[in-house]
Amino acid sequence: MIKKIDDHRFDRKLEGISEVRDESDRTGLRIVIELKKDVDANGILNYLYKNTDLQVSYNFNMVAIYKRRPTMMTLQSMLDAYIDHQKEIVTKRSEFDLQKANDRMHIVEGLIKALSILDKVIKTIRASKDKRDAKNNLIASYAFSEAQAEAIVSLQLYRLTNTDITELKAEADSLKKLIAELTGILTSATKLKNVIKKELANVRKQFAEPRRSSIEEKIQEITITREVMIPSEDVVVTVTKEGYVKRTSTRSHAASNGQDFAMKDTDHLLFEGNLNTQNTILLFTTAGNFVYQPVNELPDIKWKDLGQHLSSIVQLEPNESILAAYPFENFDEDAYVLTVSKNGLVKRSALKDYHVQRYSRAIKTMNLKKDDAMIFAGLMKKETELFIGTNQAYGVRFPIEEIPVTGLRTAGVKGVNLKDGDEVVSAILIDPEEKQDLVLVTQRGAAKKMKLQEFEVGSRAKRGVVMLRELKSNPHRVVAVMAATGKEEVLLETAKGIRMNLAANNLKPVDRYSNGSFILDEGSDGKVIAAYRIEAKTE
């Protein structure tokens, strides 16, 4: 058992134990389990009860021969069968004892009768030829029975004193009481039960021993929480767009002063946050999946070293990439996850549905067709609005209430009515109470900022309104639309590998029909293939 406990510690199934020792000696058994700092001892004990031989549940098949048949018995039916068996025993014993008492009473009555006419009995016996003749004469002359006559002729002379007569009368009185008692047992169910109770009480008195277990109607359920198994530690968690994840100790992060973060030149940070090892992070992917990742199970890697790719932690589909990452302390809050697909489907699911027990693989969150992909995953904690932007420069804005709440494996409902050849490139959760603008980037390297008021709140499944002026030759196509409050930067990537940061504040608001200002030259820099919203770092 001690080895198994230590194996759980060694295999990192139980993080809270620092050492297990066997200190048993001649005085008795003693197991010492040393815990790490700030670990719940009762929680560790519950884990050991549930996963080791510290507490064992023993089950057995209660099959017994009952009424000459093998029968599966419950505790109640077994007790009933035992009581029935005791009734049968006491009944048969009483019948036997009653028969024996009646037989003896018959003999005693014959002896008393014989002694009352002793002279006549002696005279008859002397006049008989032998024992058999004496018995026959006694039966014929005095109406004795065969058994009484046998007892009389077998009576020894020394039993003919006055004392013996007194004893016979006392025995007769005792037999009468016994016969009455046995008859009562056989004719009264209550008296029969009282006999059984009395005998069981005597058994208890003779063989009494303190109970070594307790029988309870309800028992406390042993529950194990992640907080018990995982020591609390503050860490820095990072996720990059290309799928590299890691957790870094606050010491390693502080030593680097936040600089020299290891990342490929073509990559950028998607998420960086100070979390706890008892937290969980959800990673959403383009294949319509999410990865449930406890922070404590992330690889512990130095700040200056490259993280571990998500595909080495869970199996991903080819070309599946990360869209978004959200951390959680628990999944009890009243919030929703909203997802949007390239083909214009939108879906809303309750956050509590994302709390899963088995997470060894990616889990489906949006049921997509083969030609579709998930392009957005957002977390909403209050009622808000959704803006959808398409590649052919259409934008639609509608309230979130129009999207029904469904389970994880559903496909969602239509959010926008797409033209042939068009697709959704961006989705934005809008808080009407927050002042924000929209930044649009095209494949030709143009960018512009629009007021949100340019788009009226409508209903879902509409085509929307145009966001660019259509050109006959080399028209602009939308790469991305992002929300901006003035504190963000926009990272642009081109087909030639050029990367450029654009401050949203440097763009002046223009109307929907403007094609914006050129930030990059399509001919020399290449077409813009991606644009990402990056939070501006604060000192």
Side-chain angles (χ1 to χ4, degrees):
M1 183 182 68
I2 295 171
K3 182 181 183 302
K4 188 170 183 179
I5 293 174
D6 207 36
D7 286 345
H8 280 269
R9 179 188 66 85
F10 184 77
D11 296 338
R12 299 182 69 88
K13 294 179 181 178
L14 189 61
E15 294 279 358
I17 294 179
S18 61
E19 186 182 2
V20 183
R21 294 195 306 274
D22 181 9
E23 295 186 358
S24 303
D25 55 20
R26 69 180 67 184
T27 61
L29 294 174
R30 178 180 169 84
I31 302 168
V32 177
I33 300 173
E34 287 193 4
L35 304 181
K36 295 180 181 177
K37 187 178 180 181
D38 298 329
V39 173
D40 181 9
N42 288 329
I44 295 291
L45 190 61
N46 284 346
Y47 179 90
L48 296 177
Y49 279 150
K50 205 159 190 176
N51 295 281
T52 72
D53 289 343
L54 195 62
Q55 173 178 283
V56 179
S57 296
Y58 182 77
N59 301 310
F60 58 95
N61 205 352
M62 291 178 64
V63 175
I65 304 298
Y66 178 59
K67 295 183 178 179
R68 300 185 179 183
R69 296 190 173 183
T71 306
M72 176 73 75
M73 317 247 346
T74 63
L75 181 60
Q76 181 175 343
S77 62
M78 189 168 279
L79 290 172
D80 289 339
Y82 177 78
I83 293 170
D84 291 341
H85 179 60
Q86 289 299 311
K87 287 179 180 178
E88 185 179 0
I89 288 175
V90 174
T91 299
K92 289 186 175 181
R93 184 186 66 197
S94 298
E95 289 174 348
F96 176 81
D97 291 343
L98 180 60
Q99 181 62 43
K100 189 176 178 182
N102 283 327
D103 291 344
R104 179 58 185 170
M105 188 66 181
H106 182 63
I107 299 298
V108 170
E109 288 175 346
L111 291 175
I112 293 174
K113 179 182 176 181
L115 291 175
S116 66
I117 53 172
L118 184 58
D119 293 339
K120 294 180 180 180
V121 169
I122 294 174
K123 184 178 179 181
T124 302
I125 292 173
R126 283 180 176 177
S128 301
K129 297 178 181 178
D130 51 26
K131 183 179 179 181
R132 177 70 258 179
D133 188 37
K135 287 167 61 178
N136 292 336
N137 291 332
L138 288 173
I139 294 170
S141 302
Y142 308 108
F144 289 113
S145 66
E146 176 72 25
Q148 289 174 330
E150 177 66 29
I152 292 169
V153 297
S154 300
L155 193 65
Q156 295 173 326
L157 292 176
Y158 75 86
R159 298 291 305 273
L160 301 179
T161 63
N162 289 330
T163 303
D164 291 320
I165 295 173
T166 304
E167 288 178 357
L168 285 173
K169 289 181 178 180
E171 184 181 357
D173 293 338
S174 176
L175 287 172
K176 285 179 183 179
K177 291 180 182 179
L178 178 60
I179 291 169
E181 181 182 343
L182 294 174
T183 303
I185 292 172
L186 294 173
T187 56
S188 172
T190 302
K191 290 183 178 180
L192 177 63
K193 290 180 181 178
N194 289 337
V195 171
I196 296 173
K197 287 181 183 179
K198 184 178 179 181
E199 291 181 355
L200 289 177
N202 289 334
V203 169
R204 181 176 62 185
K205 185 176 180 180
Q206 184 177 356
F207 301 103
E209 188 173 307
R211 175 175 285 281
R212 299 183 186 184
S213 60
S214 61
I215 298 176
E216 299 180 7
E217 183 180 0
K218 295 180 180 179
I219 60 172
Q220 181 180 0
E221 183 181 0
I222 295 177
T223 57
I224 304 172
T225 60
R226 288 184 56 221
E227 288 74 11
V228 168
M229 301 166 57
I230 304 166
S232 177
E233 180 186 356
D234 292 330
V235 294
V236 179
V237 175
T238 55
V239 181
T240 72
K241 178 61 182 169
E242 292 188 4
Y244 289 91
V245 296
K246 68 178 179 181
R247 66 181 169 102
T248 305
S249 66
T250 52
R251 170 185 272 180
S252 175
H253 182 264
S256 65
N257 197 26
Q259 304 298 317
D260 302 324
F261 176 74
M263 184 171 55
K264 292 184 177 181
D265 293 337
T266 58
D267 203 359
H268 70 272
L269 266 175
L270 192 65
F271 172 84
E272 177 185 346
N274 294 316
L275 304 181
N276 191 280
T277 49
Q278 296 178 352
N279 297 159
T280 302
I281 187 166
L282 296 184
L283 305 169
F284 294 88
T285 74
T286 54
N289 297 324
F290 76 95
V291 176
Y292 182 95
Q293 182 60 57
V295 171
N296 72 297
E297 295 180 10
L298 284 172
D300 188 1
I301 300 173
K302 292 181 180 179
W303 184 256
K304 64 180 181 179
D305 294 335
L306 191 66
Q308 186 174 355
H309 199 271
L310 184 62
S311 60
S312 64
I313 300 174
V314 295
Q315 185 175 355
L316 299 177
E317 298 178 13
N319 301 321
E320 185 176 5
S321 60
I322 299 178
L323 282 174
Y326 297 101
F328 299 97
E329 289 185 16
N330 58 67
F331 292 82
D332 299 330
E333 54 185 321
D334 187 16
Y336 297 92
V337 173
L338 188 135
T339 54
V340 181
S341 81
K342 181 177 69 173
N343 287 351
L345 296 176
V346 293
K347 176 185 169 182
R348 184 163 59 127
S349 299
L351 176 62
K352 62 182 180 181
D353 293 341
Y354 289 83
H355 187 199
V356 297
Q357 300 298 324
R358 297 181 180 180
Y359 48 85
S360 58
R361 58 180 178 81
I363 303 166
K364 186 64 67 178
T365 184
M366 199 174 192
N367 195 10
L368 302 175
K369 294 182 179 179
K370 290 183 179 180
D371 63 338
D372 203 359
M374 197 162 78
I375 58 97
F376 174 80
L379 180 67
M380 41 181 292
K381 297 184 179 180
K382 60 181 179 179
E383 297 299 338
T384 181
E385 297 169 355
L386 179 66
F387 177 87
I388 295 177
T390 75
N391 178 253
Q392 295 185 13
Y394 285 91
V396 61
R397 177 183 177 187
F398 57 87
I400 287 297
E401 292 93 327
E402 294 200 4
I403 306 173
V405 178
T406 57
L408 291 185
R409 295 184 175 275
T410 56
V413 295
K414 182 182 284 190
V416 59
N417 185 17
L418 295 172
K419 291 178 66 175
D420 291 341
D422 199 4
E423 64 182 36
V424 176
V425 293
S426 296
I428 304 169
L429 284 172
I430 298 171
D431 183 356
E433 298 178 0
E434 183 180 2
K435 184 181 178 181
Q436 54 187 332
D437 300 320
L438 299 179
V439 175
L440 181 150
V441 178
T442 75
Q443 95 285 8
R444 293 182 59 186
K448 72 171 184 176
K449 182 162 65 175
M450 300 173 289
K451 293 291 184 182
L452 187 60
Q453 290 76 15
E454 293 268 344
F455 301 87
E456 293 183 0
V457 179
S459 57
R460 69 172 180 86
K462 302 296 183 182
R463 172 118 344 140
V465 296
V466 294
M467 296 184 289
L468 293 171
R469 179 166 50 87
E470 183 69 14
L471 302 176
K472 292 183 179 180
S473 176
N474 194 16
H476 287 272
R477 291 292 178 252
V478 179
V479 174
V481 183
M482 292 150 282
T485 60
K487 303 175 184 178
E488 303 82 10
E489 291 185 347
V490 178
L491 172 63
L492 282 68
E493 291 185 3
T494 72
K496 293 185 178 181
I498 294 176
R499 295 159 65 91
M500 176 183 174
N501 281 30
L502 170 67
N505 263 346
N506 293 341
L507 295 172
K508 293 182 179 180
V510 295
D511 61 45
R512 288 192 292 111
Y513 299 100
S514 169
N515 286 339
S517 305
F518 284 102
I519 308 301
L520 294 169
D521 182 75
E522 182 182 4
S524 60
D525 299 328
K527 290 185 177 182
V528 177
I529 58 174
Y532 307 103
R533 179 176 182 265
I534 298 177
E535 297 289 342
K537 292 185 178 180
T538 57
E539 296 298 331

